[in-house]
Amino acid sequence: METKKIIEGTNKYIANTYKRFPVAFVKGRGMTLYSIDGKEYTDFLAGVAVNILGHCHPKVVIAIQKQAQRLIHTSNHYHNEHAVKLSRLLCDHSFADKVFFANSGAEANEAAIKIARKYSTKHYGEKKYEIITALNSFHGRTMGALSATGQEKFHQGFQPMLPGFKYVAFNNIDALKAATNESTAAVMLEPIQGEGGVKVASKEYFQFVRNHCTENNILLILDEIQTGLGRTGRFFAYEHYDIEPDILTIAKALGSGIPISAMLTRDKIAESFDQGSHGATFGGGHLACAAAIASIETLLEDGILLSECRRLGAYFKSALLEIQKKYPNIVVEVRGEGLLLGMELVRECSQVAMACFERGMLINCTANNVLRFCPPLIVTEEDIDKLCAILTEIIGRLS
Ligand SMILES: *Cc1c(COP(=O)(O)O)cnc(C)c1O
């Protein structure tokens, strides 16, 4: 089918929830995507921080092929060696003792919200159910995760939100103190706000939040759906802050594109889920776990990808700062950690993303005026140089 026909098909048959670039891809290898009309694109979006190993990494492809031939799905009514292996891998590399598997980020956050309420009401009484989240946060589109999301624009038209959520300014200690009371059950935060425009917080803030939660019998939930699994140069972003959460959610990069997500927690909290409390038909299935095991094992092999992420992230960031230095009237700020970087512009930036697209570079514009970069961790200096040269030209034209 030609591109024009596909676009017509999208418009005719697919719910109109996304603004799409006018392209359809048929093949991907590493950093490169190939369109149906034979053009090549360098992918700095990586399926929105999903394809950490690049497209069609051979280890992931082989794991999926082998598993698809043997067994795809059996349900959670039976044991599953792949789910055991994957959960052990995640626990061995984190604070957690137990894992609940689901299929999307929002669904992992639903599990986090539910277990936080169950644990807190069971241990401290039915009035302790409130969850404090941050303004400008993003936790997903289901009603619970949406209610946790501290952005009015996502709530529009879907009210009423679930009761029991309260939003405070991110990276603001006083705001959190003021919002806390005896009904506060949990504080739920992203280590770096991804969709909200790659907004970072200080180490002091996260250390305060951790202590504040511990002192007041409040659970700390970290949504690492975007920041987790190597994206910021550490396996989990909380490692940058020298803290540990009580509950953590991951999704995007976990299965390299095969849908799988997880909620990780400690034994003491996990105990509040008992048989029948919660579930997911597809959660932790054989195929998705096989894809995730191959992804995580490849990511952690020799630690090379993590250290490369830190090195290339620093290289990329300083190249973006050069652009800011050159065009301070257009670029407001460059921020982020590892290979989750954002460049805030003085103006709406979808045109810049479109101009990059026309030059064969895939990036995305989030929070209206922030260019977001989250390439596969296999990105090279040459790829970064090429993108930054093109960005310099495009931003220079705006200046
Ligand atoms: C993407 C994202 C989600 C939602 O994940 P879905 O798989 O789209 O449900 C939730 N939280 C954060 C921080 C995300 O980046």
Side-chain angles (χ1 to χ4, degrees), residues 169-225:
F170 189 48
N171 200 24
N172 184 326
I173 288 175
D174 293 334
L176 180 60
K177 273 188 197 160
T180 304
N181 59 39
E182 60 283 358
S183 57
T184 311
V187 172
M188 180 173 183
L189 297 168
E190 296 156 88
I192 294 175
Q193 293 185 329
E195 304 299 309
V198 195
K199 295 261 170 69
V200 294
S202 68
K203 186 169 176 175
E204 293 70 48
Y205 175 71
F206 273 100
Q207 295 201 333
F208 168 81
V209 174
R210 175 66 277 178
N211 291 333
H212 180 73
C213 287
T214 306
E215 283 163 14
N216 295 288
N217 297 321
I218 295 168
L219 298 172
L220 175 57
I221 305 172
L222 289 182
D223 176 346
E224 292 231 26
I225 287 164

Coordinates of all heavy atoms in Angstrom, one line a residue, residues 169-225:
A169 N 2.9 21.2 43.7 CA 4.0 21.6 42.8 C 5.1 20.6 43.0 O 5.5 20.2 44.1 CB 4.4 23.0 43.2
F170 N 5.7 20.2 41.8 CA 6.8 19.3 41.8 C 8.1 20.0 42.3 O 8.2 21.2 42.1 CB 7.1 18.9 40.3 CG 8.0 17.7 40.1 CD1 8.0 16.6 40.9 CD2 9.0 17.9 39.1 CE1 8.9 15.5 40.6 CE2 9.9 16.8 38.9 CZ 9.8 15.7 39.6
N171 N 8.9 19.3 43.0 CA 10.2 19.8 43.5 C 10.0 21.0 44.5 O 10.8 21.9 44.5 CB 11.0 20.3 42.3 CG 12.5 20.5 42.6 OD1 13.0 19.8 43.5 ND2 13.2 21.3 41.8
N172 N 8.9 20.9 45.2 CA 8.6 21.9 46.2 C 8.3 21.3 47.6 O 7.2 20.7 47.8 CB 7.4 22.8 45.7 CG 7.1 23.9 46.6 OD1 7.2 23.9 47.8 ND2 6.7 25.0 46.0
I173 N 9.2 21.4 48.5 CA 9.1 20.7 49.8 C 8.0 21.3 50.6 O 7.2 20.5 51.2 CB 10.5 20.9 50.5 CG1 11.5 20.0 49.9 CG2 10.3 20.5 52.0 CD1 12.9 20.1 50.4
D174 N 7.8 22.6 50.6 CA 6.8 23.2 51.4 C 5.4 22.8 50.9 O 4.5 22.6 51.8 CB 6.9 24.8 51.4 CG 8.1 25.2 52.1 OD1 8.6 24.5 53.0 OD2 8.6 26.3 51.7
A175 N 5.2 22.7 49.6 CA 3.9 22.3 49.1 C 3.5 20.9 49.5 O 2.4 20.6 49.9 CB 3.9 22.4 47.5
L176 N 4.5 20.0 49.5 CA 4.2 18.7 50.0 C 3.9 18.6 51.5 O 2.9 18.0 51.9 CB 5.4 17.8 49.7 CG 5.3 16.3 50.1 CD1 4.1 15.6 49.3 CD2 6.5 15.5 49.8
K177 N 4.7 19.4 52.2 CA 4.4 19.4 53.7 C 3.0 19.9 53.9 O 2.2 19.3 54.7 CB 5.3 20.4 54.4 CG 6.7 19.8 54.8 CD 7.4 20.9 55.6 CE 8.9 20.6 55.7 NZ 9.6 21.8 56.1
A178 N 2.6 21.0 53.2 CA 1.3 21.6 53.5 C 0.1 20.7 53.0 O -0.9 20.7 53.6 CB 1.2 22.9 52.7
A179 N 0.4 19.8 52.0 CA -0.7 19.0 51.5 C -0.9 17.7 52.4 O -1.9 17.0 52.3 CB -0.4 18.6 50.1
T180 N 0.1 17.4 53.2 CA 0.1 16.1 53.9 C -0.8 16.2 55.1 O -0.8 17.2 55.9 CB 1.5 15.8 54.4 OG1 2.4 15.7 53.3 CG2 1.6 14.4 55.1
N181 N -1.6 15.2 55.4 CA -2.4 15.1 56.6 C -2.6 13.7 57.0 O -2.0 12.8 56.3 CB -3.7 15.9 56.5 CG -4.6 15.4 55.4 OD1 -4.6 14.2 55.2 ND2 -5.2 16.3 54.7
E182 N -3.4 13.4 58.0 CA -3.5 12.0 58.5 C -4.2 11.1 57.4 O -4.0 9.9 57.5 CB -4.2 11.9 59.8 CG -5.6 12.4 59.9 CD -5.7 14.0 59.9 OE1 -4.7 14.7 59.9 OE2 -6.8 14.5 59.9
S183 N -4.8 11.6 56.4 CA -5.4 10.8 55.4 C -4.4 10.5 54.2 O -4.7 9.7 53.3 CB -6.7 11.3 54.8 OG -6.5 12.6 54.3
T184 N -3.2 11.0 54.3 CA -2.3 10.8 53.2 C -1.7 9.3 53.3 O -1.1 9.0 54.2 CB -1.1 11.8 53.2 OG1 -1.6 13.1 53.4 CG2 -0.2 11.6 52.0
A185 N -2.0 8.6 52.2 CA -1.5 7.2 52.2 C -0.3 7.0 51.4 O 0.6 6.2 51.7 CB -2.6 6.3 51.6
A186 N -0.1 7.8 50.3 CA 1.0 7.7 49.4 C 1.4 9.0 48.7 O 0.5 9.9 48.6 CB 0.7 6.6 48.4
V187 N 2.6 9.1 48.4 CA 3.1 10.2 47.5 C 3.5 9.5 46.2 O 4.3 8.5 46.3 CB 4.2 11.0 48.1 CG1 4.8 12.0 47.1 CG2 3.7 11.7 49.3
M188 N 3.0 9.9 45.1 CA 3.4 9.3 43.8 C 4.0 10.3 42.9 O 3.5 11.3 42.6 CB 2.1 8.8 43.2 CG 2.2 8.0 41.9 SD 0.6 7.3 41.4 CE 1.0 6.5 39.9
L189 N 5.3 10.0 42.4 CA 6.0 10.9 41.6 C 6.8 10.2 40.5 O 7.2 9.0 40.6 CB 7.1 11.6 42.5 CG 6.6 12.5 43.7 CD1 7.7 12.9 44.6 CD2 5.9 13.8 43.1
E190 N 7.0 10.9 39.4 CA 8.0 10.5 38.4 C 9.4 11.1 38.9 O 9.4 12.2 39.2 CB 7.7 11.1 37.1 CG 6.4 10.6 36.5 CD 5.9 11.7 35.5 OE1 6.2 11.6 34.3 OE2 5.1 12.6 35.9
P191 N 10.4 10.3 38.8 CA 11.8 10.9 39.1 C 12.2 12.0 38.2 O 12.8 13.0 38.7 CB 12.7 9.7 38.9 CG 11.9 8.5 39.1 CD 10.5 8.9 38.5
I192 N 11.8 11.9 36.9 CA 11.8 13.1 36.0 C 10.5 13.1 35.3 O 10.0 12.1 34.8 CB 13.0 12.9 35.0 CG1 14.3 12.9 35.7 CG2 12.9 14.0 33.9 CD1 15.5 12.6 34.7
Q193 N 9.8 14.3 35.3 CA 8.5 14.3 34.6 C 8.8 14.3 33.1 O 9.3 15.2 32.5 CB 7.8 15.6 35.0 CG 7.4 15.6 36.4 CD 6.5 16.8 36.8 OE1 6.7 17.8 36.2 NE2 5.6 16.6 37.8
G194 N 8.4 13.1 32.5 CA 8.7 12.9 31.0 C 7.7 13.7 30.1 O 8.1 14.7 29.5
E195 N 6.4 13.3 30.1 CA 5.4 13.9 29.2 C 5.3 15.4 29.6 O 5.0 16.2 28.7 CB 4.1 13.2 29.3 CG 4.1 11.7 29.0 CD 4.5 11.4 27.6 OE1 4.0 12.0 26.7 OE2 5.4 10.5 27.5
G196 N 5.5 15.7 30.9 CA 5.3 17.0 31.3 C 6.4 18.0 30.9 O 6.4 19.2 31.3
G197 N 7.4 17.5 30.1 CA 8.4 18.4 29.5 C 9.8 18.2 30.1 O 10.6 19.1 30.2
V198 N 10.1 16.9 30.4 CA 11.4 16.6 31.0 C 11.8 17.5 32.1 O 12.8 18.2 32.1 CB 12.5 16.5 29.9 CG1 13.8 15.8 30.4 CG2 12.0 15.8 28.6
K199 N 10.9 17.5 33.1 CA 11.2 18.4 34.3 C 11.9 17.6 35.4 O 11.5 16.5 35.7 CB 9.8 18.9 34.8 CG 9.1 19.9 33.9 CD 9.3 21.3 34.2 CE 8.8 22.3 33.1 NZ 7.3 22.3 33.0
V200 N 13.0 18.2 35.8 CA 13.8 17.5 36.8 C 13.6 18.1 38.2 O 13.1 19.2 38.4 CB 15.3 17.5 36.5 CG1 15.6 16.8 35.2 CG2 15.8 19.0 36.3
A201 N 13.9 17.3 39.2 CA 13.8 17.8 40.6 C 15.2 17.6 41.3 O 16.0 16.8 40.8 CB 12.7 17.1 41.4
S202 N 15.4 18.2 42.4 CA 16.7 18.1 43.0 C 16.8 16.9 43.9 O 15.8 16.3 44.3 CB 17.0 19.3 44.0 OG 16.1 19.3 45.1
K203 N 18.1 16.5 44.1 CA 18.3 15.3 45.0 C 17.8 15.6 46.4 O 17.2 14.7 47.0 CB 19.8 15.1 45.0 CG 20.2 13.8 45.8 CD 21.7 13.5 45.5 CE 22.1 12.3 46.4 NZ 23.5 11.9 46.1
E204 N 17.9 16.8 46.9 CA 17.4 17.2 48.2 C 15.9 17.0 48.3 O 15.4 16.5 49.3 CB 17.7 18.7 48.5 CG 19.2 19.1 48.7 CD 20.0 19.0 47.3 OE1 19.5 19.6 46.3 OE2 21.0 18.4 47.3
Y205 N 15.2 17.4 47.2 CA 13.8 17.2 47.2 C 13.4 15.7 47.4 O 12.6 15.4 48.3 CB 13.2 17.7 45.9 CG 11.7 17.5 45.7 CD1 10.8 18.2 46.5 CD2 11.2 16.5 44.8 CE1 9.4 17.9 46.4 CE2 9.9 16.3 44.7 CZ 9.0 17.0 45.5 OH 7.6 16.8 45.4
F206 N 14.0 14.8 46.6 CA 13.7 13.4 46.7 C 14.1 12.8 48.0 O 13.4 12.0 48.5 CB 14.2 12.6 45.5 CG 13.3 12.7 44.3 CD1 13.5 13.5 43.2 CD2 12.1 11.9 44.3 CE1 12.6 13.6 42.2 CE2 11.2 11.9 43.3 CZ 11.4 12.8 42.2
Q207 N 15.2 13.3 48.5 CA 15.6 12.8 49.9 C 14.6 13.3 50.9 O 14.3 12.5 51.8 CB 17.0 13.2 50.2 CG 18.0 12.5 49.2 CD 19.4 12.5 49.6 OE1 19.9 13.3 50.4 NE2 20.1 11.5 49.1
F208 N 14.2 14.5 50.8 CA 13.1 15.0 51.7 C 11.9 14.2 51.6 O 11.3 13.7 52.6 CB 12.8 16.5 51.5 CG 11.6 16.9 52.3 CD1 11.7 17.2 53.6 CD2 10.3 16.9 51.6 CE1 10.5 17.5 54.3 CE2 9.2 17.2 52.4 CZ 9.3 17.5 53.7
V209 N 11.4 13.9 50.4 CA 10.2 13.2 50.2 C 10.3 11.8 50.8 O 9.4 11.3 51.5 CB 9.9 13.0 48.7 CG1 8.7 12.1 48.4 CG2 9.6 14.4 48.0
R210 N 11.5 11.2 50.6 CA 11.7 9.8 51.2 C 11.5 9.9 52.7 O 10.8 9.1 53.3 CB 13.0 9.3 50.8 CG 13.4 7.9 51.4 CD 12.6 6.8 51.0 NE 11.4 6.6 51.8 CZ 10.4 5.7 51.6 NH1 10.5 4.8 50.6 NH2 9.3 5.7 52.3
N211 N 12.2 10.8 53.4 CA 12.2 10.9 54.8 C 10.8 11.3 55.3 O 10.3 10.7 56.3 CB 13.2 11.9 55.4 CG 14.6 11.4 55.1 OD1 14.8 10.2 55.1 ND2 15.5 12.4 55.0
H212 N 10.2 12.2 54.6 CA 8.8 12.7 55.0 C 7.8 11.5 54.9 O 7.0 11.3 55.8 CB 8.4 13.8 54.0 CG 7.1 14.3 54.2 ND1 6.8 15.2 55.2 CD2 5.9 14.2 53.5 CE1 5.5 15.6 55.1 NE2 5.0 14.9 54.1
C213 N 7.9 10.7 53.9 CA 7.0 9.5 53.8 C 7.3 8.5 54.9 O 6.3 8.1 55.6 CB 7.3 8.8 52.4 SG 6.6 9.8 51.1
T214 N 8.6 8.2 55.2 CA 8.9 7.3 56.2 C 8.4 7.8 57.6 O 7.7 7.0 58.3 CB 10.4 7.1 56.3 OG1 10.8 6.7 55.0 CG2 10.8 5.9 57.3
E215 N 8.6 9.0 57.9 CA 8.2 9.6 59.2 C 6.7 9.6 59.4 O 6.2 9.5 60.5 CB 8.7 11.0 59.3 CG 10.2 11.1 59.7 CD 10.8 12.5 59.4 OE1 10.0 13.4 59.2 OE2 12.0 12.6 59.3
N216 N 5.9 9.7 58.3 CA 4.5 9.8 58.4 C 3.7 8.6 58.0 O 2.5 8.6 57.7 CB 4.0 11.0 57.6 CG 4.6 12.3 58.2 OD1 4.1 12.7 59.3 ND2 5.5 12.9 57.5
N217 N 4.4 7.4 57.9 CA 3.7 6.2 57.4 C 3.0 6.4 56.1 O 1.9 6.0 55.9 CB 2.7 5.6 58.5 CG 3.4 5.2 59.7 OD1 4.5 4.7 59.7 ND2 2.8 5.5 60.9
I218 N 3.7 7.0 55.2 CA 3.2 7.2 53.8 C 4.1 6.4 52.9 O 5.3 6.4 53.0 CB 3.3 8.7 53.5 CG1 2.4 9.5 54.4 CG2 3.0 9.0 52.0 CD1 2.6 11.0 54.4
L219 N 3.4 5.8 51.9 CA 4.2 5.0 50.9 C 4.7 5.9 49.8 O 4.0 6.8 49.3 CB 3.3 4.0 50.3 CG 2.7 2.9 51.3 CD1 1.7 2.0 50.6 CD2 3.9 2.1 51.9
L220 N 5.9 5.7 49.4 CA 6.5 6.4 48.2 C 6.4 5.6 47.0 O 7.0 4.5 46.9 CB 7.9 6.8 48.5 CG 8.6 7.5 47.3 CD1 7.9 8.8 46.9 CD2 10.1 7.9 47.7
I221 N 5.6 6.0 46.1 CA 5.4 5.3 44.8 C 6.2 6.1 43.7 O 6.0 7.3 43.5 CB 3.9 5.3 44.3 CG1 3.0 4.7 45.4 CG2 3.8 4.6 43.0 CD1 1.5 4.9 45.1
L222 N 7.1 5.5 43.1 CA 7.8 6.1 41.9 C 7.3 5.5 40.6 O 7.3 4.3 40.4 CB 9.3 5.9 42.1 CG 10.0 6.7 43.2 CD1 11.5 6.5 43.1 CD2 9.7 8.2 43.1
D223 N 6.9 6.4 39.8 CA 6.5 6.0 38.4 C 7.7 6.1 37.5 O 8.1 7.2 37.1 CB 5.3 6.9 37.9 CG 4.9 6.6 36.5 OD1 5.6 5.9 35.8 OD2 3.8 7.1 36.1
E224 N 8.3 5.0 37.3 CA 9.6 4.9 36.5 C 9.2 4.3 35.1 O 10.1 3.7 34.5 CB 10.7 4.2 37.1 CG 11.2 4.9 38.4 CD 12.8 5.0 38.4 OE1 13.3 5.0 37.2 OE2 13.3 5.1 39.5
I225 N 8.0 4.5 34.7 CA 7.6 4.0 33.4 C 8.4 4.5 32.2 O 8.7 3.8 31.3 CB 6.1 4.2 33.2 CG1 5.3 3.3 34.2 CG2 5.6 4.0 31.8 CD1 3.9 3.6 34.4

